[in-house]
Amino acid sequence: MLLSCTAFSSVATSQVNRQPVRAVAVETGTVYDWAFSEGVAQGIRREYLSFEKGGKITFIASDDNQIPLRAGSRVYGPKAGEKFGQLLARVDERADIESVREFEAALNAARLRIAQADSQLKQVENNLQLAKNSFARNESVWKKKLIPKEKYEASRTELLNAKESLTTAKAELATAKSQEKSALAQLNQAKVALEKTSIFAPFDGVLRKVNVRQGDYWGGPAAATSDRQREASSAMVVVDTREYEVTLNVPYYAGDKLQENQAVFLSWSPAKLLAAAKSGFSGDQVTQGVVYSVSPSINLEQRAIEVKVHTRSGAGLLKDGMHVTAWIMVAKKENVTLVPNSAIVTRNNKPFVYAVTEQSKAELVAVQTGIEDLNQVEITRGLSAGMQVITEGKHKVVNGSDVRLVQESLNE
């Protein structure tokens, strides 16, 4: 049936009078609750290396390209079964080397004396056995009155002398072993003194600072009360860049949500974090870590809670000392009712949404919200999946307004 011109005009006028709005369907999905903060990434393992003895620096190691070690050079710690890692630098150690050689000679002399005393002990033991056998024979013959008493007494004296010689030989061996222990202790002490003239890499890492050069005189590190002062006064600073610790000051009102082992996403760029969030953090654009510790108190200076984060993957995206932004995932809910953040309107400090009815009218619906993340809000009461809620054009409508759905974005 064809509409009359008057009826067609009425329908067109009705469509024109309806407010254009953009709406989306209420969905079911996953929502995350976040806590945001900023901090500085630092290698968890770092050592401030210094010589324990003063002197002229006579050696600075070179890297794989035969260039003297400098900030950024990679160094290598001890391998399995080794006590020391790569030798990095050394001060003049000639006096300590001579001490080591002197005590090595004393140790060798003590061991030679042990060998001589041991040999002497074996001879004495043989002589004692011979004296026992001789005395036994002479005693048997003397009892039969076949030899004079003087010969029997001489044999008995020889046995007593052999026993005394055994006691003396054992004492000599014990003295030689004691001298060996003393020489070994002195040698180890001299080696420890020699070690104090050298710096070794404690683990695989990268040099953050090299404050000495060959030919400089080292007088010892100055007293330091902060990491910055220790870094400036140390000969070298080495950092393990395979894992970082980030110290955050999280607002105190988020403190009840924080706990150990919560997932954390880190980057120097907030834009990279936002892009990674849109992809569900499925790529390798940002560093991932976990909450390592949460302070039970509020920092008096920052009025915030100190949280330490340890990285688990993507540490190569960070640098020691880098300022980073952190997103802490404090909660996650699945299969919940969700609407975009832009759908929420506030009336008297209470949340509402404009739902689109089957009659194409805007209906103001009171809702109860739960977790809110970057793009969407959990609705715990008031809406169900499939309903249409207005996201753009809300300021143009009131409860009961006629609306017209459009696809293009509206300029509010």
Side-chain angles (χ1 to χ4, degrees):
M1 180 177 66
L2 298 177
L3 293 174
S4 67
C5 291
T6 302
F8 182 82
S9 176
S10 177
V11 172
T13 302
S14 176
Q15 288 294 324
V16 170
N17 290 335
R18 292 178 179 272
Q19 293 294 340
V21 296
R22 189 175 184 186
V24 298
V26 177
E27 297 180 343
T28 299
T30 302
V31 65
Y32 303 91
D33 192 10
W34 299 98
F36 305 98
S37 187
E38 296 179 340
V40 175
Q42 291 186 308
I44 293 179
R45 298 177 67 192
R46 63 174 58 225
E47 287 285 344
Y48 300 91
L49 307 176
S50 295
F51 302 102
E52 296 185 45
K53 295 185 66 174
K56 183 179 180 180
I57 298 173
T58 58
F59 172 79
I60 298 288
S62 298
D63 61 13
D64 296 336
N65 296 320
Q66 304 306 311
I67 301 175
L69 294 179
R70 59 212 178 277
S73 295
R74 179 159 290 279
V75 297
Y76 305 95
K79 295 181 173 54
E82 296 181 349
K83 182 179 180 181
F84 298 105
Q86 178 185 359
L87 175 63
L88 305 181
R90 186 172 58 220
V91 298
D92 189 356
E93 78 289 10
R94 287 175 293 180
D96 294 300
I97 289 177
E98 290 302 320
S99 295
V100 170
R101 290 174 178 170
E102 177 183 350
F103 290 119
E104 283 179 340
L107 179 62
N108 290 333
R111 287 173 175 169
L112 179 60
R113 186 176 178 182
I114 289 175
Q116 293 174 341
D118 188 59
S119 177
Q120 183 67 27
L121 177 61
K122 290 179 180 178
Q123 292 180 10
V124 170
E125 288 174 341
N126 292 335
N127 291 338
L128 176 60
Q129 187 61 43
L130 183 61
K132 286 181 177 179
N133 295 337
S134 177
F135 175 73
R137 286 194 305 270
N138 289 332
E139 184 179 31
S140 176
V141 175
W142 178 72
K143 287 181 179 179
K144 295 177 181 180
K145 307 298 184 179
L146 298 177
I147 60 172
K149 185 177 181 180
E150 292 79 7
K151 188 171 183 180
Y152 165 74
E153 291 293 342
S155 176
R156 183 170 177 272
T157 301
E158 288 179 1
L159 176 60
L160 294 175
N161 290 340
K163 289 182 179 180
E164 287 298 323
S165 297
L166 178 63
T167 301
T168 303
K170 287 182 177 179
E172 180 67 22
L173 179 60
T175 300
K177 289 182 177 181
S178 177
Q179 289 178 343
E180 180 194 32
K181 291 181 179 179
S182 176
L184 183 59
Q186 291 175 319
L187 176 60
N188 288 335
Q189 186 175 2
K191 286 183 176 180
V192 169
L194 182 60
E195 290 171 6
K196 292 181 179 180
T197 65
S198 302
I199 292 177
F200 301 91
F203 48 77
D204 293 353
V206 175
L207 289 176
R208 175 179 170 87
K209 279 283 188 179
V210 177
N211 295 324
V212 294
R213 295 176 299 178
Q214 187 169 333
D216 290 350
Y217 183 85
W218 177 259
T225 58
S226 67
D227 287 347
R228 179 174 296 182
Q229 291 175 340
R230 292 180 66 189
E231 186 173 281
S233 62
S234 299
M236 296 181 178
V237 181
V238 61
V239 178
D240 185 349
T241 58
R242 293 173 297 181
E243 187 177 9
Y244 288 94
E245 179 179 82
V246 182
T247 302
L248 307 173
N249 289 309
V250 180
Y252 65 88
Y253 51 77
D256 293 340
K257 300 179 180 180
L258 301 173
Q259 55 184 314
E260 294 179 5
N261 297 318
Q262 288 174 331
V264 184
F265 301 90
L266 305 157
S267 179
W268 60 270
S269 169
K272 285 185 175 293
L273 284 169
L274 184 59
K278 291 180 179 179
S279 64
F281 295 99
S282 58
D284 55 359
Q285 306 173 53
V286 299
T287 303
Q288 298 189 23
V290 296
V291 173
Y292 177 73
S293 66
V294 180
S295 174
S297 59
I298 297 175
N299 185 301
L300 296 179
E301 295 180 0
Q302 304 291 336
R303 303 305 300 169
I305 295 176
E306 184 178 88
V307 177
K308 291 189 180 294
V309 174
H310 286 186
T311 58
R312 289 293 179 266
S313 64
L317 299 173
L318 304 180
K319 291 185 179 296
D320 191 58
M322 176 183 285
H323 184 272
V324 297
T325 299
W327 290 9
I328 306 173
M329 187 188 297
V330 297
K332 175 183 178 181
K333 288 187 177 181
E334 299 178 336
N335 298 320
V336 296
T337 302
L338 301 173
V339 299
N341 293 351
S342 57
I344 301 295
V345 295
T346 303
R347 298 287 187 270
N348 297 322
N349 294 323
K350 294 182 179 180
F352 294 82
V353 299
Y354 278 110
V356 179
T357 68
E358 294 181 355
Q359 293 76 31
S360 297
K361 291 182 177 293
E363 179 184 2
L364 188 63
V365 179
V367 295
Q368 184 172 324
T369 60
I371 292 177
E372 178 179 353
D373 68 9
L374 301 173
N375 302 306
Q376 52 195 359
V377 182
E378 175 194 9
I379 303 298
T380 60
R381 188 175 63 188
L383 296 177
S384 59
M387 295 177 65
Q388 294 281 328
V389 293
I390 298 174
T391 57
E392 296 185 41
K394 303 185 299 294
H395 67 291
K396 298 179 181 179
V397 300
V398 295
N399 188 38
S401 295
D402 294 321
V403 295
R404 172 169 53 89
L405 299 181
V406 297
Q407 297 299 321
E408 67 274 10
S409 179
L410 302 174
N411 293 322
E412 296 194 68

